[in-house]
């Protein structure tokens, strides 16, 4: 019986870094051998805020996981956040001359052509995926291998990563003794794990709101139709609360965990929290909710503008999936965002029993993608 393959993955959030060692369990579940989440300085507007500390952070995780003494961990997978990546769509085609069955090699040729067209000095191609295929008889097919045709064309999605990002982590990985590193698009891995194939036949939208950044991924077929991000997230809500009510960031974070945006209180309704020095702070409920609502309204405005840039024809029925921990952990946060956008929003839940939380969507999606690559 073949030995179970485990993968080592790093998930780079804007203020938290997560690492996991996992293998495939029964019924597509995961066997998790090691898991760690640590706060770090993170990134903002496409730059790591304390880049020189990244190497020691990786080294500490590897030491704690005992990776070096384990057999088979010669490769590391690193998730690429939307803020360090971009997407382009490429139309490519092959004419066979005569009608024949389409082979796997034909599809690989289309992907290679799209990747070559997309090469640029400032970026590296992470992956090429299919949005849709069309045959010369006019049919659109999602699985063209085995179909008979004289020609095939593909609308393909090309995902890039900034060369600067790759250089940083190639250097770190090489210093730690790994033989290989593979970069995985975080938004793509979420799209393929959270949305079943039938849900990807039409355009869908995944909004991942983190602490300092929000990504907006437009999903179609097996690829990303578009991708954008902006530097706003849950940390801004915490900061707003701290400024508005003269709180420390720790106090503001504890307050944020109490908030229920659906509540409409009276003048006598308050949130109560314990200050850093042990005193009780009472804050008027409606005033606190207004501060949080204002920031969510701002997020909704930017999301709405980004959506219109990509998808004017799909606006009326665009399915929206929400992941990340920034709004999903605020009671009523998702519903208020939906109200601001005028659309229904569903949580992006990993299909793993006991781990079906939108805050785990990123790390578990990367895990699923890496294990599929190994197989």
């Amino acid at each position: 019986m073949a030995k179970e393959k485990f993968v080592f993955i790093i998930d780079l959030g804007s203020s938290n870094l997560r690492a996991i060692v996992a293998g495939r369990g029964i019924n597509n579940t995961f066997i998790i051998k090691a898991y760690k989440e640590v706060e770090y300085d993170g990134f903002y507007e496409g730059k790591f805020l304390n880049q020189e500390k990244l190497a020691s952070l990786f080294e500490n995780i590897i030491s704690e996981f005992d990776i070096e003494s384990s057999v088979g961990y010669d490769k590391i997978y690193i998730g690429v956040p939307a803020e360090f990546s971009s997407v382009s769509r490429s139309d490519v085609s092959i004419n066979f001359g005569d009608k024949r069955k389409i082979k796997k090699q034909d599809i690989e040729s289309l992907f290679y052509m799209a990747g070559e067209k997309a090469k640029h000095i400032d970026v590296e191609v992470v992956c090429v995926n299919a949005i849709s295929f069309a045959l010369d008889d006019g049919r659109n097919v999602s699985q063209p291998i085995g179909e008979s045709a004289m020609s095939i064309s593909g609308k393909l999605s090309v995902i890039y990563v900034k060369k600067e990002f790759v250089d940083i982590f190639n250097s770190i990985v090489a210093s730690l003794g790994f033989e290989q590193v593979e970069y995985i698009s975080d938004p793509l891995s979420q799209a393929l794990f959270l949305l079943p194939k039938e849900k990807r036949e039409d355009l869908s939208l995944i909004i991942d709101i983190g602490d300092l950044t929000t990504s907006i991924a437009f999903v179609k077929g097996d690829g990303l139709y578009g991708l954008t991000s902006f530097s706003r997230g849950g940390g801004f809500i915490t900061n707003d609360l701290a400024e508005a009510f003269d709180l420390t960031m720790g106090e503001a974070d504890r307050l944020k965990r109490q908030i229920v945006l659906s509540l409409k209180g009276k003048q006598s309704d308050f949130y109560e929290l314990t200050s850093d020095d042990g005193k009780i702070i009472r804050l008027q409920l409606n005033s606190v909710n207004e501060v949080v609502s204002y920031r969510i309204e701002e997020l909704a405005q930017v999301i709405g503008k980004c959506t219109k840039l990509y998808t004017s024809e799909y606006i009326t029925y665009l399915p929206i999936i929400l992941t990340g921990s920034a709004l999903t952990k605020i009671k009523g946060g998702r519903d208020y965002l939906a109200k601001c956008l005028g659309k229904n929003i569903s949580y992006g839940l990993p299909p793993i029993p006991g781990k079906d939380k939108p805050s785990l969507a990123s790390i578990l999606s990367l895990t699923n993608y890496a294990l599929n690559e190994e197989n």
Side-chain angles (χ1 to χ4, degrees):
M1 186 175 177
K3 186 178 178 181
E4 180 62 54
K5 182 70 178 176
F6 285 83
V7 291
F8 176 41
I9 301 154
I10 299 287
D11 176 19
L12 298 160
S14 56
S15 62
N16 286 69
L17 182 150
R18 291 183 284 191
I20 192 170
V21 174
R24 185 75 72 185
I26 59 172
N27 298 324
N28 283 324
T29 57
F30 300 142
I31 302 168
I32 297 174
K33 289 183 71 173
Y35 178 84
K36 187 173 181 65
E37 181 170 349
V38 293
E39 288 187 4
Y40 76 127
D41 295 293
F43 56 84
Y44 180 69
E45 294 187 346
K47 297 286 183 183
F48 285 98
L49 298 177
N50 208 338
Q51 185 179 313
E52 60 271 17
K53 284 190 176 180
L54 287 171
S56 61
L57 194 59
F58 273 53
E59 191 172 355
N60 290 340
I61 289 169
I62 288 165
S63 175
E64 185 172 328
F65 283 7
D66 201 22
I67 293 289
E68 290 172 310
S69 63
S70 301
V71 178
Y73 293 111
D74 58 348
K75 183 176 184 178
I76 182 172
Y77 289 89
I78 296 177
V80 183
E83 203 150 317
F84 296 94
S85 56
S86 56
V87 169
S88 70
R89 297 188 299 276
S90 181
D91 294 310
V92 289
S93 60
I94 299 175
N95 193 315
F96 306 128
D98 295 311
K99 191 169 185 175
R100 66 166 175 82
K101 285 193 173 182
I102 297 168
K103 303 173 184 176
K104 181 183 177 184
Q105 295 94 310
D106 300 322
I107 306 305
E108 290 172 349
S109 294
L110 288 175
F111 282 22
Y112 177 78
M113 290 160 60
E116 287 297 299
K117 282 173 63 176
K119 282 187 174 178
H120 190 275
I121 192 170
D122 296 325
V123 295
E124 289 192 12
V125 174
V126 175
C127 58
V128 181
N129 296 78
I131 295 172
S132 62
F133 295 104
L135 308 181
D136 57 276
D137 61 7
R139 286 185 297 139
N140 289 316
V141 294
S142 59
Q143 300 293 340
I145 296 173
E147 295 279 354
S148 294
M150 291 184 65
S151 65
I152 181 173
S153 60
K155 185 178 287 293
L156 305 182
S157 165
V158 183
I159 300 179
Y160 308 90
V161 58
K162 290 180 181 178
K163 188 73 163 57
E164 182 182 4
F165 180 96
V166 172
D167 290 342
I168 290 169
F169 290 101
N170 277 358
S171 175
I172 292 172
V173 168
S175 71
L176 295 171
F178 288 91
E179 294 179 12
Q180 300 177 68
V181 55
E182 183 168 336
Y183 296 97
I184 306 173
S185 166
D186 186 346
L188 177 67
S189 69
Q190 289 195 46
L192 297 178
F193 190 49
L194 303 178
L195 295 173
K197 194 166 185 67
E198 61 271 15
K199 296 283 187 183
R200 292 185 263 117
E201 291 179 1
D202 291 316
L203 203 68
S204 295
L205 177 63
I206 295 180
I207 303 172
D208 184 346
I209 305 179
D211 194 43
L212 299 177
T213 189
T214 293
S215 71
I216 303 172
F218 301 88
V219 183
K220 196 170 191 300
D222 290 330
L224 298 185
Y225 189 86
L227 178 67
T228 189
S229 65
F230 56 93
S231 294
R232 289 287 186 277
F236 288 77
I237 295 174
T238 311
N239 191 66
D240 290 345
L241 291 169
E243 288 189 358
F245 303 105
D246 194 24
L247 304 172
T248 67
M249 291 299 284
E251 290 165 348
D253 188 61
R254 292 197 295 276
L255 173 61
K256 188 171 72 172
R257 295 170 192 273
Q258 291 188 43
I259 288 168
V260 182
L261 281 183
S262 58
L263 291 178
K264 300 297 179 190
K266 302 172 185 175
Q267 283 297 112
S268 57
D269 290 328
F270 293 85
Y271 290 114
E272 285 191 357
L273 70 146
T274 305
S275 69
D276 291 344
D277 57 6
K279 296 177 181 176
I280 299 298
I281 301 173
R282 299 176 80 233
L283 298 168
Q284 213 273 330
L285 183 146
N286 286 344
S287 297
V288 172
N289 283 7
E290 282 173 12
V291 170
V292 178
S293 298
Y294 180 83
R295 181 61 74 176
I296 295 176
E297 287 166 14
E298 185 204 35
L299 283 171
Q301 287 174 2
V302 180
I303 291 167
K305 288 176 182 177
C306 293
T307 303
K308 288 178 182 176
L309 285 175
Y310 285 91
T311 75
S312 57
E313 69 272 29
Y314 291 99
I315 284 289
T316 53
Y317 67 89
L318 185 68
I320 300 178
I321 310 298
L322 179 64
T323 67
S325 58
L327 285 197
T328 60
K329 289 188 176 181
I330 295 177
K331 297 180 185 70
R334 176 195 64 171
D335 295 337
Y336 194 76
L337 180 64
K339 179 183 175 182
C340 293
L341 291 172
K343 298 188 178 301
N344 292 326
I345 297 178
S346 304
Y347 286 131
L349 304 176
I352 302 292
K355 300 189 181 299
D356 50 348
K357 299 178 177 65
S359 58
L360 295 174
S362 177
I363 184 65
L364 295 182
S365 295
L366 292 170
T367 300
N368 181 68
Y369 194 103
L371 287 169
N372 286 343
E373 286 291 293
E374 289 294 327
N375 290 333

